[in-house]
Amino acid sequence: LQFLYFIGSSNMPKIHYEKNDISAKKKKKEKRKPKEDDDKQGHHGFTFNKTFGQHILKNPLVINAIIDKSGLQATDVVLEIGPGTGNLTEKLLQSCKKVIAMEIDPRMVQELKKRFMPTPLGSKLQIIEGNCLKNELPFFNVCVANVPYAISSALVFKLLRHRPLFRCAVLMFQREFAMRLCAKSGSSMYCRLSSNTQLLSRVDHLMKISKASFKPPPKVESSVVRIEPKRPAPEVAFDEWDGMVKVCFNRPNKTLAGNFRIKAVLKNLFTIHTNYCKMLEKEPKTYDEVKDAITEILKRLEFSERRMRTMEEDELLTLLAAFHEQDIYFA
């Protein structure tokens, strides 16, 4: 009875941990923290900048494969966007006449200078510090780059608008972006990006790259693609093409007729049509006439019930020409 009373008593002794035990556990946790941050720092001693999307390619097998796929010649001038610490740059310098490296991070610029300028390869390297999207691109034959994912789309179209045309670009992108870039008509991934890129170039998926090939590793898988500009370039105003494709992909699951019946779309096309006619001193159509003209074009070409994902490039070019015949423009 005394034993039972002791168990049920509020005076039952409480278990106390020794302070030394708790501090020892804390120390163990504290020891793990630096390991979590190891990948955020390079062996050069600085933290990689997330704002610039810095993921340094460290796998030598991948670097060699990219060089092989680029088909570089000894006389080539190569443009590299975002060279980082220069792992890919070194192999490029060994394979071509000159490398122009565009880098936005001043720390990386200093790292490149320290790594290459004292060596024989330094005479073949030109470094441009700044934002590649805001600066004019120099002359180059080939572009090879581990592209910061945040600028992928903008960089692709800046390259494709560059003149004179380059021979090819071998670029690393986020896997999903790369697959959309290469997607063909009829594919579930076919989109405005696919259509616009493939109007101006031929795009091929070359290889998949795992997260472990980078430091620090990105959260997504990557792929390398090869882009070859079409020669000659298609005789179509890109802004007009893009404007029409944007309307057609406005709601991907809708038919073309459905997308062109959207009031905001019709209002915008009517405004552009009116301004265009005023410039040429022509009598513009009324809103209803523009609407009827669009409906008639889609019916005549038998595109009314088609969805954009099923449209081929030559069909879209025919559709754009038919709109222009009726003074209906998109840009």
Side-chain angles (χ1 to χ4, degrees), residues 10-11 42 59 73 91-93 106 137-138 188 205 219 229 250 274 281 287 291 294 320:
S10 60
N11 296 324
N59 188 329
Q73 301 171 11
K91 292 294 183 181
L92 291 172
L93 287 167
L137 298 180
S188 61
H205 184 275
K219 295 181 180 179
N250 190 14
T274 303
E281 298 180 350
Y287 177 87
K291 182 179 178 181
I294 292 172
L320 183 60

Side-chain angles (χ1 to χ4, degrees), residues 4-168:
L4 292 172
Y5 175 79
F6 174 75
I7 294 296
S9 171
S10 60
N11 296 324
M12 181 177 178
K14 296 180 180 178
I15 298 173
H16 295 281
Y17 291 102
E18 291 293 334
K19 289 184 179 179
N20 291 339
D21 292 340
I22 296 172
S23 61
K25 290 179 180 179
K26 285 183 177 179
K27 284 179 181 178
K28 286 181 182 179
K29 290 181 179 178
E30 287 171 0
K31 285 180 181 178
R32 293 191 196 106
K33 286 182 180 178
K35 293 180 182 179
E36 294 173 2
D37 296 332
D38 281 349
D39 281 342
K40 294 179 183 178
Q41 290 191 338
H43 61 280
H44 303 274
F46 48 71
T47 303
F48 294 118
N49 193 324
K50 290 183 179 179
T51 306
F52 298 147
Q54 290 173 342
H55 299 281
I56 305 302
L57 182 60
K58 64 176 185 177
N59 188 329
L61 296 177
V62 173
I63 291 172
N64 288 333
I66 290 173
I67 297 297
D68 290 342
K69 299 289 185 181
S70 301
L72 295 178
Q73 301 171 11
T75 55
D76 281 336
V77 175
V78 177
L79 175 67
E80 184 183 10
I81 306 294
T85 57
N87 295 341
L88 180 58
T89 313
E90 184 174 13
K91 292 294 183 181
L92 291 172
L93 287 167
Q94 295 169 1
S95 307
C96 66
K97 178 182 178 182
K98 181 180 180 180
V99 173
I100 303 173
M102 298 191 75
E103 176 58 60
I104 194 172
D105 190 341
R107 300 172 308 158
M108 298 295 185
V109 170
Q110 292 306 313
E111 185 61 36
L112 290 170
K113 289 179 179 178
K114 186 168 65 175
R115 181 171 180 176
F116 296 112
M117 291 312 172
T119 72
L121 295 176
S123 61
K124 300 169 69 176
L125 176 62
Q126 177 187 348
I127 302 172
I128 299 176
E129 183 178 343
N131 189 329
C132 66
L133 298 180
K134 294 181 180 179
N135 292 334
E136 186 176 346
L137 298 180
F139 168 83
F140 63 96
N141 305 112
V142 179
C143 180
V144 181
N146 171 19
V147 180
Y149 295 157
I151 67 168
S152 297
S153 183
L155 178 62
V156 166
F157 291 107
K158 186 176 180 72
L159 289 173
L160 290 175
R161 291 185 183 212
H162 180 70
R163 295 296 182 273
L165 289 173
F166 53 93
R167 188 167 75 246
C168 74

